[in-house]
């Protein structure tokens, strides 16, 4: 999805919008469209999943209502909403969820977002007023990037696509750089690494008037606090409620006019998705797992567990073993697919997995988000006894890659800001009402900030790079609301995600529940050596890197001399973090 609205009396730049739209062909390989009306233009690349006919094409013009809609994502309850809207007198010319958005906007205005169950970023243009409405789903699963000047606002589902339209300020935002280097490569909205590009925050509706003025509201915030009505619930009550909520979320995400598969890592989260689909009667479900060659003493696959689950539930299972020869070119392609620099080596895994999976299906479900929502990571238990007032500082101590005091030894003086902006941003979020305990506050922050701008963005960017739509049932907003009410002790039990592990007993094999926590392993990146190390060295030693001067040269040289010794607090390779940022900037022609 893309578009532009001008505020200077000129017609929208259809050519620029066309360039932006075509730069996202990988996100929508099944068709394209442009619609222009005076100062406004909308563009769309189509991935046909619901209503495969031409009637479902976009941008979708609803002439009787005087609206045009461009939309990225899926409204899972669109059939129920369609029936409700028909009861209000609306008549439909397609069977698509896109048309439901337009009719819902006509019926309820910007409050239409409260009716949607799904993942979405959409633009609605009112023909009569020239008003533009932009909105993003509650958990930020679908992205929306903005490039606004005094003369116009341009937007797209991808940051690199915006650059293809020209005229974007590509200077680096020093505050965003500080966040990248401390907050585990996370740059919270509205900032991005570039001064000229912002992102619409999750759960946000922005109304843009023809003169350039705009208003914005946040329409959803999870409380992560207890509900008095559930004060008497037993542990088993919570387990059953969570399992039922996940069952509903998984079922919702099967809505499609094409087959839906599952990315099966072999962990409890994706295994439970497969199990619930099997219980619901899904047959011949396609499942996919990935593995890499071992390196540096680290195993590169989890096939043992994914194969166990596939056998138990009779899925059509595909084990994808990635040869090391694909890794080096895979890194370049992964960086090209990143809307923002993301340090996790999982990006490469998701990119290469998606390349192969997209040959079989267009839609997959994924277990992403369970750890953030249900307390599965090892930085949560240390917060259990921390006073609520000290939560933000304690969280930064266990999660940040490095604290502010370490920045002068790493970042060049020209790029250092004069205050600890990352800690201030975290403290601001932690200070908001709700979130009764330090653990609640950390889970709320991770669910609404970290998750959005790391794991969720990673999955969206890498799957959509191959025209593959990933759906994440653990981020169903009703499930997130329920999870937020669960007492923290139940989530931290059993080494993390205790309430989910106990709910899963008898549903998935015990071996999957009792195993050591795994991850998406890419050993050749975690242990930099050979051609991969040379790629990082070349990026950090290039003329472009020297001109930019982001990092202290002596620090870079020290890291290059012993590339696998220095790790961030969460275990990422520090040299990779620096090199990844430089490679992203250079690939996208920044600076």
């Amino acid at each position: 999805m893309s578009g532009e609205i001008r505020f200077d009396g000129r017609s929208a730049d259809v050519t620029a919008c066309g360039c932006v739209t075509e730069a996202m062909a990988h996100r929508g390989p099944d068709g394209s469209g442009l619609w222009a009306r005076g100062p406004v233009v909308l563009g769309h690349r189509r991935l046909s999943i619901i209503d495969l006919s031409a009637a479902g094409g976009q941008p979708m013009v609803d002439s009787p209502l005087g609206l045009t809609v461009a939309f990225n994502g899926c409204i899972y309850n669109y059939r129920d909403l369609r029936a409700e809207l028909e009861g209000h007198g609306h008549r439909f010319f397609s069977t698509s969820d896109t048309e439901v958005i337009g009719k819902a906007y006509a019926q309820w205005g910007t409050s239409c977002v409260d009716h949607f169950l799904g993942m979405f970023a959409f633009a609605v243009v009112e023909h009569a007023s020239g008003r533009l409405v932009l909105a993003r789903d509650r958990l930020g699963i679908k992205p929306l990037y903005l490039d606004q000047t005094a003369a116009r606002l341009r937007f797209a589902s991808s940051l690199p696509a915006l650059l293809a339209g020209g005229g974007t300020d590509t200077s680096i935002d020093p505050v965003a750089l500080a966040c990248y280097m401390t907050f585990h490569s996370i740059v919270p909205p509205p900032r991005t690494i570039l001064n000229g590009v912002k992102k619409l925050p999750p759960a946000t509706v922005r109304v843009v008037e023809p003169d350039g003025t705009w208003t914005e509201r946040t329409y959803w915030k999870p409380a992560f606090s207890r509900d008095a009505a559930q004060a008497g619930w037993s542990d088993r009550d919570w387990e059953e409620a969570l399992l039922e909520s996940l069952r509903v979320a998984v079922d919702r995400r099967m809505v499609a006019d094409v087959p839906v598969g599952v990315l099966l890592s072999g962990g409890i989260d994706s295994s439970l998705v497969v199990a619930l689909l099997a219980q619901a009667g899904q047959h011949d479900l396609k499942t996919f797992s990935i593995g890499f060659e071992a390196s540096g003493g680290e195993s590169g696959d989890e096939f043992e567990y994914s194969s166990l689950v596939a056998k138990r539930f009779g899925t059509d299972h595909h084990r994808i073993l990635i040869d090391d020869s694909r890794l080096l070119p895979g890194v370049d392609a992964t960086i090209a697919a990143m809307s923002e620099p993301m340090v996790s080596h999982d990006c490469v895994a998701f990119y290469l997995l998606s390349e192969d999976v997209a040959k079989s299906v267009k839609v997959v479900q994924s277990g992403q988000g369970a750890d953030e929502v249900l307390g599965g990571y090892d930085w949560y238990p240390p917060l259990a006894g921390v006073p609520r007032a000290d939560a933000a500082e304690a969280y930064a101590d266990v999660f940040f890659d490095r604290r502010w005091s370490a920045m002068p030894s790493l970042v060049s003086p020209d790029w250092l800001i004069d205050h600890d902006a990352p800690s201030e941003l975290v403290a601001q979020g932690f200070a908001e009402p709700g979130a009764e305990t330090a653990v609640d506050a950390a889970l709320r922050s991770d669910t609404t900030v970290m998750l959005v701008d790391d794991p969720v963005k990673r999955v969206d960017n890498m799957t959509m790079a191959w025209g593959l739509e990933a759906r994440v049932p653990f981020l169903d907003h009703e499930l997130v609301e329920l999870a937020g009410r669960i007492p923290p002790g139940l989530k931290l039990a059993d080494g993390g995600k205790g309430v989910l592990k106990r709910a899963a007993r008898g549903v998935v094999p015990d071996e999957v529940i009792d195993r050591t926590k795994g991850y998406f392993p890419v050993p050749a990146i975690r242990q930099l050596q050979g051609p991969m190390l040379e790629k990082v060295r070349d990026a950090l030693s290039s003329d472009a890197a020297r001109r930019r001067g982001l990092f202290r040269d002596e620090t870079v040289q020290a890291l290059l001399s012993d590339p696998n010794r220095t790790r961030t607090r969460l275990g990422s390779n520090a040299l990779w973090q620096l090199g990844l940022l430089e490679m992203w900037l250079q690939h996208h022609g920044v600076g």
Side-chain angles (χ1 to χ4, degrees):
M1 180 183 78
S2 63
E4 178 181 287
I5 178 170
R6 297 203 69 92
F7 315 126
D8 56 3
R10 298 173 58 188
S11 295
D13 190 335
V14 176
T15 299
C17 188
C19 291
V20 172
T21 304
E22 289 312 300
M24 296 185 291
H26 54 280
R27 294 183 67 93
D30 297 333
S32 64
L34 286 171
W35 172 87
R37 187 184 179 95
V40 185
V41 60
L42 296 180
H44 189 264
R45 290 291 319 195
R46 187 177 187 195
L47 180 62
S48 301
I49 291 172
I50 293 174
D51 190 349
L52 310 185
S53 74
Q58 298 186 49
M60 182 174 283
V61 180
D62 195 323
S63 297
L65 294 179
L67 301 173
T68 299
V69 180
F71 158 57
N72 174 29
C74 183
I75 306 300
Y76 302 126
N77 63 329
Y78 80 98
R79 290 171 181 154
D80 291 340
L81 287 176
R82 177 188 174 111
E84 182 178 353
L85 289 163
E86 285 176 334
H88 289 293
H90 292 279
R91 296 294 173 259
F92 288 78
F93 54 81
S94 76
T95 58
S96 72
D97 51 345
T98 308
E99 188 180 3
V100 168
I101 290 175
K103 298 289 198 294
Y105 178 79
Q107 183 66 35
W108 298 301
T110 59
S111 296
C112 65
V113 292
D114 299 318
H115 297 257
F116 297 152
L117 301 174
M119 55 179 187
F120 54 84
F122 67 75
V124 175
V125 176
E126 297 180 357
H127 297 176
S129 69
R131 183 178 295 121
L132 169 70
V133 177
L134 302 173
R136 196 172 174 204
D137 66 70
R138 297 168 181 85
L139 275 302
I141 300 166
K142 285 300 174 183
L144 187 54
Y145 291 94
L146 313 171
D147 173 5
Q148 182 156 1
T149 67
R152 52 100 177 124
L153 167 65
R154 194 174 288 163
F155 55 91
S157 299
S158 160
L159 187 155
L162 278 179
L163 302 186
T168 299
D169 175 4
T170 60
S171 62
I172 293 173
D173 180 346
V175 174
L177 175 64
C179 290
Y180 176 89
M181 295 307 303
T182 57
F183 199 7
H184 200 53
S185 83
I186 295 156
V187 178
R191 296 181 187 273
T192 73
I193 197 68
L194 304 183
N195 277 310
V197 181
K198 303 295 187 267
K199 51 200 174 196
L200 191 71
T204 299
V205 178
R206 178 180 291 192
V207 179
V208 183
E209 302 295 341
D211 63 1
T213 59
W214 54 272
T215 57
E216 190 172 276
R217 71 178 178 92
T218 301
Y219 64 88
W220 180 82
K221 284 185 179 180
F224 278 81
S225 57
R226 312 293 80 78
D227 185 337
Q230 296 165 320
W233 278 27
S234 67
D235 292 2
R236 188 59 189 163
D237 289 334
W238 286 113
E239 293 160 19
E240 290 176 351
L242 178 61
L243 192 62
E244 178 58 26
S245 183
L246 181 60
R247 183 176 284 109
V248 170
V250 167
D251 181 64
R252 281 175 179 160
R253 281 153 184 79
M254 291 303 290
V255 60
D257 294 333
V258 295
V260 179
V262 178
L263 301 182
L264 177 59
S265 69
I268 184 175
D269 311 326
S270 58
S271 298
L272 195 50
V273 170
V274 170
L276 294 178
L277 287 172
Q279 283 186 354
Q282 291 289 332
H283 299 292
D284 300 319
L285 181 70
K286 290 185 182 294
T287 54
F288 306 86
S289 60
I290 191 173
F292 296 85
E293 296 180 20
S295 178
E298 291 190 274
S299 172
D301 71 72
E302 297 180 323
F303 286 152
E304 173 187 354
Y305 297 101
S306 60
S307 296
L308 174 67
V309 172
K311 183 176 180 181
R312 173 70 61 89
F313 298 108
T315 72
D316 178 9
H317 191 51
H318 302 252
R319 300 198 330 177
I320 302 168
L321 182 62
I322 303 296
D323 186 89
D324 274 356
S325 64
R326 292 178 62 186
L327 275 178
L328 209 60
V331 167
D332 292 332
T334 298
I335 291 169
M338 290 179 182
S339 273
E340 299 173 70
M342 292 177 279
V343 74
S344 174
H345 59 274
D346 288 9
C347 290
V348 181
F350 272 112
Y351 180 87
L352 294 171
L353 173 62
S354 300
E355 179 181 5
D356 285 11
V357 172
K359 298 172 184 175
S360 300
V361 294
K362 281 187 174 184
V363 185
V364 288
Q365 296 205 40
S366 165
Q368 208 75 35
D371 287 304
E372 292 83 358
V373 172
L374 292 166
Y377 289 125
D378 59 10
W379 56 83
Y380 300 126
L383 302 175
V386 172
R388 180 64 177 84
D390 300 330
E393 180 65 18
Y395 171 82
D397 271 341
V398 295
F399 183 81
F400 276 21
D401 287 338
R402 55 188 63 81
R403 296 312 303 267
W404 189 250
S405 58
M407 290 289 282
S409 65
L410 183 61
V411 175
S412 297
D414 289 347
W415 289 100
L416 277 176
I417 56 176
D418 60 4
H419 61 290
D420 186 356
S423 294
E424 293 169 6
L425 286 167
V426 169
Q428 181 180 353
F430 272 58
E432 292 182 359
E436 297 175 8
T437 69
V439 173
D440 285 317
L443 289 169
R444 182 178 67 180
S445 176
D446 281 355
T447 299
T448 57
V449 180
M450 182 273 280
L451 179 66
V452 176
D453 272 297
D454 187 13
V456 163
K457 181 167 64 184
R458 182 192 325 157
V459 172
D460 174 81
N461 285 188
M462 299 307 131
T463 54
M464 291 298 284
W466 292 101
L468 177 68
E469 180 175 282
R471 300 175 174 180
V472 278
F474 282 98
L475 297 186
D476 184 283
H477 83 272
E478 292 180 344
L479 186 150
V480 170
E481 290 171 348
L482 172 68
R485 297 193 295 269
I486 297 174
L490 298 183
K491 287 180 270 198
L492 299 186
D494 303 344
K497 289 190 297 194
V499 64
L500 184 70
K501 292 175 180 177
R502 296 171 187 181
R505 293 283 177 190
V507 182
V508 301
D510 285 353
E511 297 95 321
V512 172
I513 300 172
D514 297 328
R515 60 170 293 194
T516 301
K517 179 174 174 56
Y519 58 93
F520 230 174
V522 189
I525 292 177
R526 283 178 53 83
Q527 302 293 329
L528 290 175
Q529 57 190 8
M532 197 71 72
L533 174 58
E534 290 309 306
K535 179 180 287 293
V536 173
R537 186 189 305 276
D538 289 346
L540 291 170
S541 304
S542 66
D543 290 341
R546 293 186 186 281
R547 285 194 303 271
R548 204 178 339 265
L550 295 180
F551 308 116
R552 286 187 174 273
D553 186 63
E554 61 270 27
T555 303
V556 172
Q557 295 309 315
L559 291 172
L560 286 169
S561 67
D562 193 355
N564 296 302
R565 181 176 65 86
T566 305
R567 302 262 170 192
T568 68
R569 187 172 274 107
L570 298 183
S572 297
N573 187 305
L575 179 61
W576 175 253
Q577 186 180 37
L578 273 61
L580 184 280
L581 176 58
E582 261 303 332
M583 287 188 284
W584 187 91
L585 293 170
Q586 291 174 28
H587 178 87
H588 295 293
V590 175

